[in-house]
């Protein structure tokens, strides 16, 4: 992907809301970056050409490299070793597929999704080092060599030594909420994602989201729209902290537009939890992307390594749940970490009963090896620069074509503001899903609604009608890691132009069949 960079601009809004689909990285050039393209000096003393020493091309390149001017193009920091052939479909075929799937994009066979942006969870490409690690997997039942590699990597990145491996993040969530005893208690958050909320509610908890005020306006850029509302948190804790099972901070804030959380916000939330003796946990699925944003946007963190920022982030919490399918750069796996010894003991017993022995937790040795490598790769600045820039490229391109998005684009996904794009489609008709379906019909692009369909419906505990926190109706385009190139994104932007041309025909959907929990995964729908 060829992505154009630039230096800091005078305002955050200018830097992150671009009128053209070219990436503009809001980062100052770093002196460590080497370029073979040198800017000529402003002035140069006259020389006697007869006395000028002869040079060859290599010497010229070496001289140019010393200039340190950054390239304008940010490329993928990897090469491809093999490819997967994609299946092309016609518009008529895609309409038939939708009808057969009862208009639920989760039910469309993946082979018919030309560009699959349904999720970034477990859909990325592994590196050569990860594949090499996979071949070295030790499949011993207890205390395998691969377990110690995994444990070492988790300790190195997080600083925690109590590590409970799980087959994926939602298993870690279930174990955490079970051992915390959340029944009839509150689980507070900046915004819980779907499986986190479902696991807590299934165990009898009441979930309360408290996104910051900036998150309410999708179109206005702000550096840390994933923050929690600290005043709302303080009020809730002062009312009766004994009713609060824990605070879970999602980094980055997936349901809130993939927006990062500031370190200052995390520190303040942690201090409030300590003051009121409430457990503080991270949903750390995208910790590396959040740490990169902190380095780029938060005063005092310029020049620090992403790895050191991540360590500081984890140090603020009592523990974390983690899906290795995101910032573990793996296709499966996860873990729970905690400094609460009593909780760790209970969680370990539950792990043995439901996941596996404590040194594999439902994972193969091969899985443990790939996660160990991925955790060290994900905190590398070159990878994260490309990752954030590729997402911003797509976001700027959609905005330039008249499709409103959550500004600025997040780290792992671009979120279309479906309410602004389809103002005549009410929330009850799922505008985010209408947009997602349109992208599939017009170009075979699969994405995901985040709004009324995902978080609405009847509360399984109270029976009341639920509404998403913040009232956002979004269509999320989650970009798998190290999978698609610039031409894929440019094709997607052409599809966007067709969606814009047909927007007046989009009327929304109704649910014809649903389940009490996570209805969006299996619901049947019909067009209005």
């Amino acid at each position: 992907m060829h992505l154009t960079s630039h230096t800091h601009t005078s305002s955050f809004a200018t830097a992150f809301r671009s009128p053209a689909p070219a990436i503009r990285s809001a980062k100052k050039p770093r002196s460590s970056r080497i370029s073979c393209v040198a800017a000529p000096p402003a002035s140069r003393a006259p020389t006697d050409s007869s006395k000028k020493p002869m040079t060859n091309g290599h010497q010229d390149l070496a001289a140019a490299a010393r200039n340190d001017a950054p390239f304008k193009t940010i490329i993928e920091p990897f090469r491809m070793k093999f490819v997967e052939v994609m299946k092309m479909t016609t518009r008529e075929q895609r309409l038939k597929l939708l009808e057969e799937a009862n208009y639920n994009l989760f039910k469309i066979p993946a082979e018919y999704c030309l560009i699959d942006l349904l999720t970034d969870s477990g859909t990325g490409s592994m590196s050569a080092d990860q594949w090499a690690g996979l071949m070295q997997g030790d499949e011993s039942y207890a205390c395998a060599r691969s377990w110690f590699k995994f444990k070492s990597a988790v300790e190195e990145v997080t600083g925690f030594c109590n590590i409970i491996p799980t087959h994926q993040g939602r298993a870690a969530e279930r174990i955490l909420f079970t051992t915390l005893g959340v029944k009839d208690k509150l689980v507070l958050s900046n915004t819980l994602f779907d499986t986190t909320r479902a696991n807590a509610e299934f165990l009898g908890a009441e979930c309360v989201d408290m996104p910051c005020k900036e998150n309410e306006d999708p179109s206005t850029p702000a550096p840390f729209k994933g923050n929690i509302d600290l005043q709302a948190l303080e009020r809730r804790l002062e009312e009766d902290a004994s009713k609060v099972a824990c605070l879970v901070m999602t980094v980055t804030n997936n349901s809130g537009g993939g927006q990062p959380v500031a370190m200052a916000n995390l520190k303040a939330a942690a201090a409030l939890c300590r003051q009121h003796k409430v457990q503080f946990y991270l949903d750390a699925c995208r910790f590396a992307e959040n740490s990169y944003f902190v380095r780029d946007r938060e005063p005092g963190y310029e020049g620090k390594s992403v790895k050191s920022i991540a360590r500081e982030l984890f140090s603020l919490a009592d523990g974390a749940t983690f899906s290795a399918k995101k910032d573990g750069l793996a296709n499966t796996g996860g873990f729970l970490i905690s400094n609460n010894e009593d909780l760790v003991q209970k969680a370990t017993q539950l792990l043995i009963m439901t996941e596996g022995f404590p040194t594999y937790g439902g994972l193969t040795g091969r899985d443990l090896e790939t996660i160990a490598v991925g955790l060290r790769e994900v905190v590398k600045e070159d990878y994260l620069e490309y990752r954030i820039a590729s997402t911003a490229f797509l976001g700027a391109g959609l905005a330039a074509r008249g499709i409103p998005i959550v500004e600025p684009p997040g780290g792992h996904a671009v979120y279309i503001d479906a309410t602004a794009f389809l103002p005549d489609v009410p929330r009850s008709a799922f505008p985010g899903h209408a947009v997602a379906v349109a992208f599939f019909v017009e170009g075979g692009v699969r994405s995901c609604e985040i709004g009324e369909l995902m978080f609405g419906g009847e509360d399984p505990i109270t029976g009341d009608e639920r509404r998403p926190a913040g009232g956002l109706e979004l269509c999320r385009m989650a970009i798998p890691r190290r999978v698609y190139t610039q031409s894929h994104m440019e094709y997607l932007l052409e599809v966007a132009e067709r969606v814009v041309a047909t927007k007046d025909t989009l009327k929304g959907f109704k649910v014809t069949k649903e389940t009490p929990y996570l209805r969006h995964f299996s619901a049947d729908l019909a067009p209005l």
Side-chain angles (χ1 to χ4, degrees):
M1 186 178 292
H2 306 295
L3 308 166
T4 306
S5 69
H6 76 102
T7 57
H8 277 298
T9 57
S10 59
S11 73
F12 186 87
T14 304
F16 285 91
R17 185 161 53 191
S18 168
I23 285 304
R24 292 173 171 81
S25 170
K27 177 171 19 165
K28 294 177 181 177
R30 295 196 297 272
S31 60
S32 60
R33 185 175 296 158
I34 295 177
S35 169
C36 291
V37 180
S43 61
R44 178 177 295 165
T47 59
D48 184 346
S49 59
S50 64
K51 296 181 180 180
K52 183 178 180 180
M54 293 180 64
T55 62
N56 57 33
H58 294 294
Q59 289 171 316
D60 288 340
L61 288 172
R66 287 194 294 270
N67 183 277
D68 254 1
F71 287 109
K72 295 180 180 179
T73 301
I74 300 171
I75 64 170
E76 294 97 334
F78 52 82
R79 300 185 184 95
M80 297 177 187
K81 287 183 176 286
F82 65 87
V83 297
E84 178 183 351
V85 177
M86 305 168 78
K87 181 174 288 188
M88 303 293 180
T89 57
T90 65
R91 194 176 192 275
E92 291 71 22
Q93 288 172 328
R94 294 191 290 271
L95 285 168
K96 182 173 174 53
L97 286 165
L98 273 169
E99 185 177 357
E100 292 173 347
N102 291 307
Y103 297 91
N104 188 331
L105 293 170
F106 282 90
K107 298 180 180 181
I108 301 288
E111 63 181 312
Y112 298 113
C113 300
L114 187 62
I115 297 180
D116 199 345
L117 308 182
L118 186 71
T119 179
D120 63 319
S121 178
T123 56
S125 293
M126 292 198 300
S127 68
D129 286 342
Q130 286 179 293
W131 281 104
L134 183 145
M135 298 302 295
Q136 299 175 41
D138 179 358
E139 304 304 339
S140 301
Y141 184 84
C143 297
R145 178 181 63 254
S146 300
W147 154 251
F148 291 104
K149 290 183 180 179
F150 171 87
K151 185 174 186 293
S152 174
V154 176
E155 289 178 349
E156 180 182 319
V157 171
T158 70
F160 281 77
C161 58
N162 293 325
I163 302 162
I164 299 171
T166 60
H167 77 277
Q168 61 180 20
R170 67 190 64 177
E173 293 166 355
R174 177 182 55 80
I175 291 173
L176 173 64
F177 293 141
T178 301
T179 52
L180 280 174
V182 298
K183 183 176 173 57
D184 298 325
K185 291 192 174 183
L186 301 176
V187 174
L188 310 180
S189 181
N190 53 343
T191 313
L192 295 170
F193 198 53
D194 57 354
T195 59
T196 321
R197 176 181 297 277
N199 270 304
E201 289 181 342
F202 186 77
L203 293 168
E206 179 185 348
C207 298
V208 180
D209 293 331
M210 294 176 283
C212 65
K213 301 301 182 185
E214 294 86 347
N215 191 262
E216 296 175 2
D217 182 3
S219 63
T220 302
F224 293 104
K225 293 171 75 171
N227 284 350
I228 194 169
D229 185 332
L230 291 170
Q231 291 182 338
L233 174 62
E234 186 172 20
R235 285 195 301 269
R236 182 71 70 159
L237 292 175
E238 288 179 347
E239 284 174 8
D240 191 351
S242 65
K243 292 181 179 179
V244 179
C246 64
L247 169 66
V248 176
M249 289 288 282
T250 310
V251 292
T252 55
N253 190 334
N254 193 1
S255 298
Q259 299 296 305
V261 182
M263 192 73 76
N265 189 257
L266 288 166
K267 288 179 179 179
L272 286 171
C273 286
R274 286 194 302 271
Q275 177 185 342
H276 294 278
K277 297 181 172 55
V278 168
Q279 291 279 290
F280 174 37
Y281 279 80
L282 298 172
D283 175 351
C285 292
R286 298 173 182 87
F287 76 93
E289 292 174 4
N290 200 94
S291 298
Y292 183 89
F293 281 125
V294 167
R295 192 191 74 154
D296 240 25
R297 300 178 183 176
E298 191 162 357
Y301 288 92
E302 306 92 338
K304 291 190 176 182
S305 70
V306 169
K307 187 175 179 179
S308 68
I309 295 171
R311 282 292 293 263
E312 181 177 349
L313 183 150
F314 281 108
S315 73
L316 300 172
D318 296 302
T321 60
F322 179 70
S323 170
K325 298 165 70 174
K326 285 88 169 175
D327 274 357
L329 301 182
N331 300 129
T332 193
F335 57 76
L336 166 65
I337 52 177
S338 178
N339 58 20
N340 184 325
E341 297 293 341
D342 181 59
L343 183 144
V344 169
Q345 184 177 6
K346 293 177 181 177
T348 301
Q349 291 302 305
L350 185 56
L351 178 82
I352 293 171
M353 289 188 288
T354 60
E355 292 281 305
F357 193 73
T359 60
Y360 78 89
L363 295 170
T364 66
R366 298 185 293 274
D367 297 328
L368 294 168
E369 293 272 357
T370 59
I371 296 168
V373 175
L375 283 171
R376 293 186 171 106
E377 289 182 343
V378 78
V379 293
K380 292 182 178 179
E381 280 77 8
D382 286 345
Y383 159 74
L384 287 165
E385 179 178 27
Y386 140 78
R387 172 70 173 163
I388 303 305
S390 63
T391 305
F393 175 88
L394 176 59
L398 291 172
R401 285 159 177 80
I403 298 181
I405 66 169
V406 175
E407 296 279 6
H412 72 288
V414 175
Y415 294 70
I416 294 172
D417 181 357
T419 301
F421 185 60
L422 301 177
D424 295 330
V425 178
R427 293 180 62 179
S428 59
F430 315 125
H433 186 66
V435 174
V437 168
F439 269 91
F440 182 77
V441 169
E442 298 303 329
V445 177
R446 178 161 66 170
S447 53
C448 176
E449 183 263 11
I450 294 184
E452 185 77 11
L453 180 60
M454 179 178 287
F455 292 111
E458 185 178 289
D459 189 301
I461 297 175
T462 66
D464 297 333
E465 193 71 13
R466 293 187 296 191
R467 288 288 179 266
L472 299 180
E473 295 293 327
L474 308 172
C475 171
R476 184 189 71 175
M477 294 185 164
I479 303 175
R481 293 161 179 81
R482 305 187 294 201
V483 172
Y484 295 115
T485 64
Q486 169 124 357
S487 62
H488 291 109
M489 296 299 106
E490 290 172 344
Y491 167 83
L492 197 159
L493 294 174
E494 283 194 54
V495 175
E497 292 172 358
R498 298 191 182 189
V499 172
V500 170
T502 61
K503 63 178 290 189
D504 292 338
T505 67
L506 306 179
K507 304 302 180 185
F509 292 84
K510 64 179 179 180
V511 172
T512 60
K513 182 182 178 182
E514 65 179 292
T515 55
Y517 296 94
L518 299 170
R519 66 175 180 174
H520 56 291
F521 285 134
S522 57
D524 290 344
L525 298 103
L528 295 173

